[in-house]
Amino acid sequence: MTQENSNIDKFDSMPFIALIHHISRNKLKYSMKNPNHMDMVHEGRYLMEIHKRKNLSQDDLANIFGQSKGTIAKALRKLEDKEYVEREIDENNRRKYILNTTEKGEELAILLTKDLEDWEKTVGIDKLDEKTKSQLRKIARKSEEILNDN
């Protein structure tokens, strides 16, 4: 690498989508370093959502995260096996499962939420203004709409 190139910050020339991917990947790596709930890197986001929104269905979870029903079912099986989540058949639709956290799941969801908040504060996400956050949500919605239209 030449002297001139060594002064270039890789993030200055990185495409925006690569920045988002880089942030996301680093968040996963950060989560994996936590010895208390290292095995919850992927399932943890589902657990936090179930904790936050009571009485979600498996289908709701699949839609929220843009994941297949099979992927969600596998993750939920792991969460059930670890006694973090309970699935109950919906009284109004016998083919639908309602999800709730157990007491053990509540405790872990609170820890994971705190870890996420700490990470966001450490990297500065908490300093983003509402206009920026709103614009990022619009971009996320539009990117999903484009996929659904095709």
Side-chain angles (χ1 to χ4, degrees):
M1 186 179 285
T2 66
Q3 177 64 31
E4 185 179 309
N5 287 339
S6 66
N7 294 329
I8 297 173
D9 183 339
K10 68 180 178 182
F11 298 110
D12 289 340
S13 61
M14 195 179 281
F16 180 74
I17 195 66
L19 289 169
I20 297 294
H21 176 74
H22 190 79
I23 293 166
S24 178
R25 191 180 76 230
N26 285 339
K27 168 57 177 97
L28 286 174
K29 287 178 181 179
Y30 174 85
S31 296
M32 290 170 63
K33 288 183 175 185
N34 188 326
N36 296 323
H37 32 271
M38 189 171 98
D39 61 336
M40 295 305 302
V41 172
H42 297 290
E43 292 89 6
R45 62 187 176 149
Y46 305 138
L47 182 66
M48 288 188 293
E49 195 68 24
I50 295 165
H51 166 75
K52 186 169 65 175
R53 303 183 200 208
K54 305 297 180 199
N55 297 310
L56 279 178
S57 72
Q58 284 183 227
D59 289 348
D60 293 334
L61 211 54
N63 288 330
I64 289 167
F65 288 101
Q67 297 289 322
S68 71
K69 291 178 184 178
T71 297
I72 295 296
K74 272 198 269 188
L76 289 175
R77 229 173 285 121
K78 289 179 184 178
L79 291 170
E80 272 186 306
D81 290 347
K82 294 175 184 175
E83 300 178 349
Y84 294 132
V85 169
E86 296 174 330
R87 284 191 269 191
E88 299 172 14
I89 295 175
D90 185 345
E91 295 171 1
N92 302 320
N93 181 350
R94 310 257 333 133
R95 297 183 329 176
K96 186 176 179 181
Y97 285 100
I98 300 299
L99 309 169
N100 285 296
T101 50
T102 63
E103 189 173 321
K104 184 178 172 182
E106 288 286 312
E107 291 172 10
L108 182 58
I110 290 167
L111 276 175
L112 293 172
T113 300
K114 184 182 179 330
D115 284 354
L116 178 60
E117 289 168 355
D118 289 348
W119 182 81
E120 287 183 353
K121 186 175 182 180
T122 300
V123 300
I125 290 174
D126 66 320
K127 302 241 185 316
L128 292 176
D129 60 74
E130 277 309 311
K131 184 177 179 182
T132 302
K133 290 177 186 177
S134 177
Q135 188 63 31
L136 289 169
R137 286 185 200 101
K138 285 179 186 175
I139 292 168
R141 283 185 198 99
K142 184 66 175 175
S143 68
E144 193 169 279
E145 286 172 15
I146 290 169
L147 285 176
N148 292 334
D149 289 346
N150 292 329

